[in-house]
Amino acid sequence: MSRRILVLSAGLSQPSSTRLLADRIAQAVAAQIGGRGESAEIEVVELKDLAVDLATAMSAGGISTPKLARVKETISAADGIIAVTPVFTASYSGLFKMFFDVLDTEALNGMPVIIAATAGTARHSLVLDHALRPLFTYLRAVVVPTGVFAATEDFGDGEAGASLAGRIRRAASEFAALAVAEQTGVDGFVQTETHARKRTSGVHIDQAVTPFMTMLQGHTGNGKAR
């Protein structure tokens, strides 16, 4: 069976250390899933390519462009996500946050996720547990215990580089265990997950959306209708 793994890279430069880290994690995940007798289908989404679409959605009440809608459908159908962001002002980038702001709140239910970040110095490593992990916990994703942080020095061949490689392998192993897990309980003895929340992309809307300014028409702003 092939597992669909989506890589989200919020790097802005070219070449990008964020994309480099994302690719290394993806390769490790593919190897770990392969070691469990399955294959991994890796798809990479560069969030910088969605910048205009994200701005449009944010200013249009969350209505997605066709390009953004396709990505949203892809993410809710994935078997796992690798999410990597550069650190800006002690947190994830604005582009990274915009993407998750426009996702349906049910898009990541039970989704295995590796969180990772890059920065110029190791002083920013706490961003994993103070910013990224709470974000994905709120979205009800299953974040693997090992986050992957890489400072500039970690991309070398020395001790720092070896430490980064170890963190990547450990996170990939934890992720693969979740991505290929199968329910082995016998009906009647183990509670099945019939009540688990389903993932939804939020792309298909059953009813028309009323623009906010239209809703405000006829009101003076003091709580009374004109």
Side-chain angles (χ1 to χ4, degrees), residues 203-216:
V203 172
H204 303 292
I205 301 176
D206 296 329
Q207 58 184 8
V209 177
T210 303
F212 188 59
M213 293 305 297
T214 300
M215 296 171 62
L216 291 179

Side-chain angles (χ1 to χ4, degrees), residues 109-121:
N109 290 332
M111 181 83 72
V113 175
I114 290 179
I115 54 173
T118 59
T121 170

Side-chain angles (χ1 to χ4, degrees), residues 128-173:
L128 294 174
D129 291 322
H130 286 259
L132 285 165
R133 198 174 295 276
L135 170 65
F136 286 99
T137 299
Y138 171 78
L139 293 171
R140 291 184 290 273
V142 181
V143 185
V144 302
T146 303
V148 182
F149 178 87
T152 301
E153 62 187 22
D154 293 324
F155 289 101
D157 296 326
E159 183 178 345
S163 178
L164 173 61
R167 295 195 298 274
I168 290 174
R169 285 193 300 270
R170 186 165 61 249
S173 178

Side-chain angles (χ1 to χ4, degrees), residues 1-13:
M1 180 181 294
S2 179
R3 303 292 173 171
R4 300 173 61 185
I5 309 301
L6 189 65
V7 179
L8 299 172
S9 173
L12 298 177
S13 60

Side-chain angles (χ1 to χ4, degrees), residues 17-219:
S17 60
T18 300
R19 176 60 188 271
L20 175 60
L21 179 60
D23 288 343
R24 289 184 60 178
I25 297 172
Q27 291 169 4
V29 164
Q32 289 288 337
I33 291 178
R36 286 167 170 77
E38 309 222 6
S39 61
E41 179 183 341
I42 307 293
E43 181 176 350
V44 179
V45 174
E46 290 275 9
L47 296 187
K48 62 183 176 61
D49 296 335
L50 294 171
V52 174
D53 302 87
L54 290 171
T56 299
M58 294 291 287
S59 60
I63 301 176
S64 299
T65 64
K67 183 178 180 180
L68 180 57
R70 286 192 296 271
V71 175
K72 291 170 71 173
E73 289 177 336
T74 299
I75 196 171
S76 62
D79 294 307
I81 296 171
I82 300 167
V84 191
T85 179
V87 176
F88 292 157
T89 320
S91 188
Y92 35 63
S93 72
L95 184 64
F96 187 86
K97 182 61 163 61
M98 283 177 66
F99 179 77
F100 289 99
D101 281 346
V102 302
L103 280 188
D104 188 86
T105 55
E106 306 289 332
L108 301 184
N109 290 332
M111 181 83 72
V113 175
I114 290 179
I115 54 173
T118 59
T121 170
R123 290 181 300 169
H124 293 292
S125 60
L126 289 177
V127 71
L128 294 174
D129 291 322
H130 286 259
L132 285 165
R133 198 174 295 276
L135 170 65
F136 286 99
T137 299
Y138 171 78
L139 293 171
R140 291 184 290 273
V142 181
V143 185
V144 302
T146 303
V148 182
F149 178 87
T152 301
E153 62 187 22
D154 293 324
F155 289 101
D157 296 326
E159 183 178 345
S163 178
L164 173 61
R167 295 195 298 274
I168 290 174
R169 285 193 300 270
R170 186 165 61 249
S173 178
E174 295 165 353
F175 179 88
L178 292 172
V180 304
E182 295 181 356
Q183 184 176 346
T184 57
V186 178
D187 289 342
F189 292 91
V190 178
Q191 183 177 3
T192 59
E193 299 180 5
T194 55
H195 299 293
R197 293 176 182 264
K198 294 183 178 180
R199 297 173 193 152
T200 57
S201 66
V203 172
H204 303 292
I205 301 176
D206 296 329
Q207 58 184 8
V209 177
T210 303
F212 188 59
M213 293 305 297
T214 300
M215 296 171 62
L216 291 179
Q217 289 179 359
H219 293 271

